[in-house]
Amino acid sequence: MQHIDREQLYADGEYRFNYVSQFMDFGADDIKAIESVADKIRPLVPTIVDAVYQKLFSYDITKKHFLPKNEGFEGKVATTLEELTLDHPQIKFRKDFLTKYLNKLLSGPYDERMVRYLDWVAKIHTDTPQKKSKINVDYIHINALMGYVETLLVGGVLSLKLPEAEELAALAAFNKLLWIQNDYFAKYYLNPVQPKESSTPALDQWSLTGLGAIVGGLVAFLAFKYKYI
């Protein structure tokens, strides 16, 4: 039985990645599966990005997070939800970021730089001292968004009509990868080493990431087997 140091899971990003990826059996075969479909998925990225922002703009509680000035954006910001449209310069800036993120997942390389990148993506959505902006998105919206992005990616993979074995491998690989990303968000929102007050009962890290990995794997399997998504 392998020993896992609980404290180190929250102090060492690479140690955390190794544990979560090993738990989910994310490895060389999954990276190969992603690389094998990357060139076919990449043309679908603009459609995925547009769908994500259409979804985010469907609810005032998620749309409002785009009113604060994004770090790195130098243009004029909107002051009301009505003024903030999908073709607003700041939204185009944010769409470019999501496009780069998805292309990064497709292109790799899956090394220590990718680990730091996944961690950084999670960090910038929380209100941390290292940030210039004060964008702080509640985890419920992040979790829902990651589920929606996975649904879009699953649909994209299924649309390719790949051979069955290749399709299953790609679905499983993207599922694991997005759950790894989701764990990095959980790292900043649900850190028992640095407890935060909450108006709802607390969930321990295993409840969210461990169980989530299992459920996510089941979703990918059912999507493949029954073409449900």
Side-chain angles (χ1 to χ4, degrees):
M1 179 170 60
Q2 182 180 357
H3 171 69
I4 299 297
D5 188 306
R6 184 173 183 268
E7 296 286 330
Q8 195 171 355
L9 286 174
Y10 301 97
D12 186 331
E14 186 174 352
Y15 185 82
R16 183 187 185 96
F17 172 82
N18 288 336
Y19 165 69
V20 174
S21 60
Q22 288 173 15
F23 191 102
M24 289 191 284
D25 293 327
F26 180 82
D29 288 343
D30 296 293
I31 295 172
K32 184 178 179 180
I34 292 173
E35 292 173 343
S36 70
V37 300
D39 288 341
K40 299 173 184 176
I41 292 291
R42 196 168 286 109
L44 303 178
V45 167
T47 301
I48 293 174
V49 170
D50 286 343
V52 165
Y53 275 84
Q54 286 283 356
K55 178 66 71 173
L56 290 169
F57 271 45
S58 298
Y59 305 94
D60 57 356
I61 198 168
T62 48
K63 186 178 180 181
K64 72 177 184 179
H65 288 291
F66 296 96
L67 284 174
K69 188 173 183 179
N70 197 73
E71 188 171 337
F73 178 70
E74 302 298 334
K76 183 179 179 181
V77 299
T79 57
T80 65
L81 291 181
E82 291 72 25
E83 185 182 349
L84 188 65
T85 61
L86 287 169
D87 59 356
H88 190 279
Q90 176 148 316
I91 299 306
K92 290 182 178 179
F93 180 87
R94 299 290 283 269
K95 282 186 174 184
D96 286 344
F97 175 85
L98 179 56
T99 298
K100 291 176 183 177
Y101 169 75
L102 293 173
N103 282 325
K104 177 71 172 176
L105 296 186
L106 292 171
S107 63
Y110 287 88
D111 54 16
E112 67 279 359
R113 290 172 296 175
M114 177 65 81
V115 173
R116 290 196 299 268
Y117 180 71
L118 296 177
D119 186 273
W120 175 77
V121 167
K123 181 186 291 186
I124 64 172
H125 287 84
T126 60
D127 191 6
T128 60
Q130 295 83 6
K131 285 175 49 184
K132 294 180 180 179
S133 71
K134 291 300 179 183
I135 296 173
N136 187 36
V137 185
D138 291 343
Y139 182 75
I140 185 174
H141 311 307
I142 294 292
N143 189 49
L145 176 61
M146 293 303 296
Y148 186 63
V149 169
E150 177 167 6
T151 298
L152 295 172
L153 279 173
V154 167
V157 171
L158 294 178
S159 73
L160 300 177
K161 306 299 182 183
L162 300 169
E164 192 169 283
E166 185 179 359
E167 183 177 75
L168 176 58
L171 288 173
F174 280 120
N175 173 71
K176 295 174 189 178
L177 177 58
L178 290 179
W179 274 105
I180 290 171
Q181 176 67 86
N182 201 21
D183 175 69
Y184 275 104
F185 283 111
K187 170 187 173 183
Y188 288 99
Y189 288 100
L190 302 171
N191 188 338
V193 177
Q194 297 177 331
K196 297 181 180 180
E197 293 183 0
S198 174
S199 59
T200 58
L203 295 176
D204 62 30
Q205 194 71 9
W206 160 250
S207 298
L208 185 66
T209 59
L211 181 60
I214 295 171
V215 173
L218 180 60
V219 168
F221 172 76
L222 291 175
F224 166 76
K225 186 172 181 62
Y226 298 107
K227 301 296 189 289
Y228 183 71
I229 297 178

